[in-house]
Amino acid sequence: MPDSIALDSTRLQRLQQIPLWDFALAFYAKPGVEAACLTLQDEAGLDVCEVLFHCWLYSCGLEAVSTAVSAVRKERLHWQARVTDVLRALRRDLTSSAASNEAVAALRKTIKQAELMAERENLQRWQIWALEVKIDEKCVTNIVEKPSNVAEWLEKKLNHGEKAFQFTGSSNTPSASLQALQTLVRQLDPHQGAR
């Protein structure tokens, strides 16, 4: 295995020192990130946990190996569909009733906490997968060359290497999805950590 491809121990150590959940909380709190993630979720159908996972890797100078991530993506999407999305739908359905009923408001708050716990579990499973040592397959690798267009790089990672949503709208203006990706990229520190 060539040295440029060998997983850099400094990058891997950094990944181990910054739990994905901690990264996600800090990153999500940055200006515009929450709105960007929700745009990618609601308008592009992307999984916010996977978005945060790829941002976490990128912040350490790493990326998921595309062929390896496809199987775990199916597992994580299954979790999202069967657990998180169900809780999110319940929480959203109770929004109007909660405004006028304290008991429903308390129930909605409990469901919101359960939804957050489901997201945390999903992120922990992404992290475990990334840090697993497999003899026959690598999960993550160094980003050998910093991408010239990080938004496009992230979009490809999230859409299995294919473009699934448009970068420009009908009048050649950036789509909401592209604007959301660009917001995330602006908040990632490209000079942070080993590259």
Side-chain angles (χ1 to χ4, degrees), residues 23-38:
F23 169 85
L25 289 177
F27 188 62
Y28 204 77
K30 289 185 176 190
V33 170
E34 178 180 359
C37 286
L38 295 177

Side-chain angles (χ1 to χ4, degrees), residues 83-96:
V83 179
T84 311
D85 292 348
V86 172
L87 293 167
R88 182 177 299 122
L90 285 170
R91 177 183 53 82
R92 288 178 175 176
D93 285 348
L94 293 174
T95 300
S96 61

